[in-house]
């Protein structure tokens, strides 16, 4: 096994429609509509997508949205801040569950 | 004119001339109203995207005799605009003379500045001369953030550019009602396409005003052309194939009608003519045939052939290079 993730697979994303074309069509229509200019600009959406890509740790999405952010005119300081937002939410999400731990401990403790 | 094919361009696939033919397009001249004047390759910066490989060690510069020949051509050719570029034109001895002569010969003179050469202590008089001659300044600023600007143009260039813009603003450049035009040019700091021009202009306007109180008239975003130092970097960094593929995929037939080479002719520091500054960099002469400025009675006529090459894809990608 050389590498599980191969950047050459990214442009082949549409092949996921093989054997289930209708579902793929619905997904890509939805995806396109979500990422289109709306109440948020395409640049803002790209930064959100970059942050989410880090949160879900998808190399394909990081590759695609790092490039997209640059082409939408974002700079590396903005992109780095977006990654920190993902890190803060991920870290905060773990920490806030510490209250569950405390609840359990409180219930079990004298 | 036979298209010049690069030695190794596997991903470029279809040649530019062939792509034009596939879309039923012909690239030929309309009315040529702009004379672009490349004063030479001497520059105080050595930008990593420079298609001309300009820099401090380059010796190619326009002499005074050629300046006069070019200014004479600008006048007899009835050009509407003279677009003075380099290198850093500010560093060329006699540039004051050329600008003064051009200002008398054509209605609109533009000077391309990298924003650091014009504010060197012994050249501040040039800014004052430009103001007095009402010369339009077109200044390079890739980003409003130092990391990208300095990466492309050299360490410390962002700070220096900000000071230069503030000084030009203080002379009246970019200020409403002065008639002193200050335009910015932003090239991407790497192997990716430029962002949307209108939105980028809005962001630059907001950022420059908020951070440094700088105002300007317009901003233009252009793709980097895979020539010279930028091409060397593309190849060395393993980005060349992907970048060429990106340019060819982004070919926009509608951009062809607005290409600058339809309305512009570019003269080099020796007085030789080219269809554009990129062909000048590659040594491709006007329409494929060598012409010297002293032998030209008028601008190239409408319908004249324009040479093409692989790097033309950079001018037709997306919104184009007008």
């Amino acid at each position: 096994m050389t590498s599980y993730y191969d950047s050459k697979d990214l442009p082949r994303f549409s092949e996921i429609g093989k054997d289930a074309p209708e579902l793929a069509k619905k997904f890509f229509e939805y995806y396109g509509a979500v990422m289109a200019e709306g109440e948020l600009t395409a640049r803002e959406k790209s930064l959100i997508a970059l942050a989410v890509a880090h949160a879900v740790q998808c190399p394909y999405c990081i590759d695609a949205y790092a490039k997209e952010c640059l082409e939408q005119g974002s700079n590396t300081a903005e992109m780095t801040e977006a990654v920190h937002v993902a890190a803060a939410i991920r870290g905060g999400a773990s920490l806030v569950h510490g209250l569950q731990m405390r609840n359990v401990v409180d219930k079990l403790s004298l | 004119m036979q298209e010049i094919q690069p030695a190794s361009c596997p991903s470029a696939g279809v040649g530019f001339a062939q792509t034009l033919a596939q879309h039923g397009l012909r690239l030929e001249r309309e009315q040529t109203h702009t004379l672009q004047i490349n004063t030479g390759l001497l520059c105080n910066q050595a930008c990593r995207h420079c298609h001309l490989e300009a820099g401090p060690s380059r010796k190619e510069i326009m002499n005074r005799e050629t300046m006069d020949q070019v200014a004479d051509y600008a006048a007899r050719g009835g050009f509407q605009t003279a677009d003075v570029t380099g290198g850093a034109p500010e560093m060329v001895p006699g540039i004051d003379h050329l600008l003064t002569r051009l200002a008398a010969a054509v209605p609109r003179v533009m000077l391309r500045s990298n924003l650091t050469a014009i504010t060197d202590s012994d050249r501040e008089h040039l800014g004052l001369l430009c103001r007095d001659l009402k010369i339009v300044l077109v200044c390079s600023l890739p980003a409003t953030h130092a990391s990208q600007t300095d990466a492309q143009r050299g360490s410390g260039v962002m700070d220096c550019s900000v000071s230069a813009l503030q000084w030009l603003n203080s002379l009246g450049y970019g200020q409403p009602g002065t008639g002193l035009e200050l335009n910015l040019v932003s090239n991407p700091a790497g192997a990716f396409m430029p962002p949307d021009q209108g939105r980028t202009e809005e962001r630059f306007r907001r950022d420059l005003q908020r951070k440094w109180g700088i105002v300007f008239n317009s901003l233009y975003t252009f793709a980097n052309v895979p020539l010279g130092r930028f091409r060397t970097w593309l190849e060395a960094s393993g980005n060349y194939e992907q970048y060429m593929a990106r340019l060819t995929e982004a070919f926009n037939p509608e951009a062809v009608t607005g290409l600058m080479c339809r309305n512009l002719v570019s003269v080099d520091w020796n007085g030789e003519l080219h269809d554009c500054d990129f062909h000048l960099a590659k040594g491709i002469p006007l329409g494929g045939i060598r012409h010297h400025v002293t032998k030209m009675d008028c601008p190239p006529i409408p319908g004249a052939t324009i040479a093409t090459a692989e790097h033309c894809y950079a001018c037709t990608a997306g919104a184009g290079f007008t």
Side-chain angles (χ1 to χ4, degrees):
Chain A
M1 190 168 178
T2 51
S3 172
Y4 189 75
Y5 294 108
D6 184 345
S7 59
K8 290 193 179 70
D9 287 340
L10 180 56
R12 298 176 53 218
F13 190 11
S14 61
E15 290 178 28
I16 206 68
K18 238 177 177 177
D19 302 323
E22 281 308 310
L23 290 175
K25 185 167 174 282
K26 285 177 195 289
F27 172 78
F28 285 117
E29 278 174 0
Y30 171 72
Y31 190 99
V34 167
M35 297 310 292
E37 199 87 9
E39 294 299 319
L40 297 173
T41 65
R43 193 179 82 86
E44 290 164 338
K45 288 183 179 181
S46 294
L47 285 167
I48 294 169
L50 183 70
V52 174
H54 283 76
V56 300
Q57 296 185 309
C58 170
Y60 299 117
C61 306
I62 292 171
D63 188 343
Y65 282 98
K67 282 180 202 150
E68 184 63 19
C69 282
L70 289 171
E71 295 199 346
Q72 291 291 343
S74 293
N75 62 49
T76 48
E78 292 168 320
M79 292 160 66
T80 306
E81 281 188 21
V83 173
H84 276 292
V85 171
I89 296 299
R90 279 179 68 106
S94 295
L95 277 178
V96 78
H97 282 80
L99 295 173
Q100 306 288 346
M101 173 272 288
R102 297 203 69 87
N103 289 342
V104 174
V105 170
D106 288 348
K107 189 177 177 185
L108 296 177
S109 299
L110 286 171
Chain B
M1 174 67 191
Q2 191 180 359
E3 181 161 313
I4 294 178
Q5 298 287 350
S8 59
C9 186
S11 63
V14 180
F16 187 76
Q18 203 180 333
T19 297
L20 288 178
Q22 282 172 355
H23 287 83
L25 296 166
R26 285 174 57 83
L27 186 55
E28 56 186 31
R29 286 194 170 271
E30 294 171 352
Q31 206 70 42
T32 299
H33 50 63
T34 298
L35 178 63
Q36 186 174 58
I37 302 155
N38 192 309
T39 54
L41 305 182
L42 177 64
C43 190
N44 62 334
Q45 297 180 1
C47 300
R48 298 177 74 189
H49 76 137
C50 185
H51 62 278
L52 291 157
E53 302 188 68
S57 62
R58 299 302 297 260
K59 307 293 183 205
E60 303 90 334
I61 51 171
M62 185 175 281
N63 62 31
R64 199 170 172 108
E65 183 188 5
T66 307
M67 286 179 182
D68 282 328
Q69 291 168 345
V70 168
D72 289 343
Y73 178 48
R76 74 174 173 273
F79 286 94
Q80 293 299 301
T81 301
D83 175 3
V84 180
T85 186
E90 300 97 319
M91 298 176 74
V92 177
I95 189 67
D96 318 45
H97 172 72
L98 177 65
L99 292 173
T100 305
R101 284 219 52 198
L102 289 172
V106 299
R108 181 179 166 89
V109 180
M110 294 159 55
L111 176 68
R112 309 254 179 167
S113 171
N114 65 23
L115 284 174
T116 57
I118 199 168
T119 47
D120 274 3
S121 56
D122 59 340
R123 290 192 208 100
E124 286 196 353
H125 71 281
L126 253 183
L128 303 176
L129 178 72
C130 289
R131 178 193 63 184
D132 295 344
L133 296 175
K134 290 217 178 287
I135 286 172
V136 175
L137 294 182
V138 182
C139 304
S140 303
L141 189 70
T144 60
H145 192 266
S147 68
Q148 287 172 319
T149 298
D150 288 1
Q152 181 186 102
R153 309 188 75 79
S155 179
V157 167
M158 185 74 201
D159 286 346
C160 195
S161 300
V162 165
S163 300
L165 287 168
Q166 287 171 328
W167 177 64
L168 292 170
N169 276 174
S170 76
L171 296 182
Y173 269 103
Q175 305 282 6
T178 62
L180 294 168
E181 225 176 296
L182 176 62
N183 298 319
L184 302 179
V185 171
S186 168
N187 289 86
F192 52 93
M193 296 292 287
D196 174 79
Q197 183 164 290
R199 291 209 181 87
T200 307
E201 182 178 297
E202 284 172 26
R203 290 193 63 226
F204 267 58
R205 207 175 290 290
R206 195 174 57 237
D207 281 4
L208 292 178
Q209 174 71 59
R210 180 172 58 86
K211 293 180 182 173
W212 300 291
I214 291 167
V215 292
F216 63 94
N217 293 94
S218 300
L219 176 131
Y220 303 100
T221 57
F222 297 128
N224 288 310
V225 179
L227 290 173
R229 210 174 278 134
F230 185 62
R231 177 169 175 149
T232 303
W233 173 80
L234 284 172
E235 290 172 341
S237 61
N239 280 304
Y240 180 73
E241 250 185 74
Q242 183 189 315
Y243 189 67
M244 283 307 297
R246 185 79 179 89
L247 291 180
T248 52
E249 279 165 18
F251 175 78
N252 174 11
E254 289 179 13
V256 174
T257 54
L259 287 177
M260 62 175 177
C261 53
R262 289 181 181 274
N263 310 108
L264 169 150
V265 63
S266 186
V267 57
D268 68 20
W269 50 95
N270 290 319
E272 299 281 348
L273 295 172
H274 307 266
D275 286 301
C276 68
D277 202 52
F278 307 119
H279 283 7
L280 182 156
K282 284 283 284 184
I284 304 171
L286 177 71
I289 300 164
R290 289 186 64 166
H291 297 79
H292 193 268
V293 70
T294 50
K295 308 291 181 199
M296 297 288 286
D297 294 326
C298 59
I301 56 171
T305 304
I306 297 172
T308 60
E310 287 297 329
H311 58 255
C312 296
Y313 278 115
C315 293
T316 52
F321 200 135
T322 57

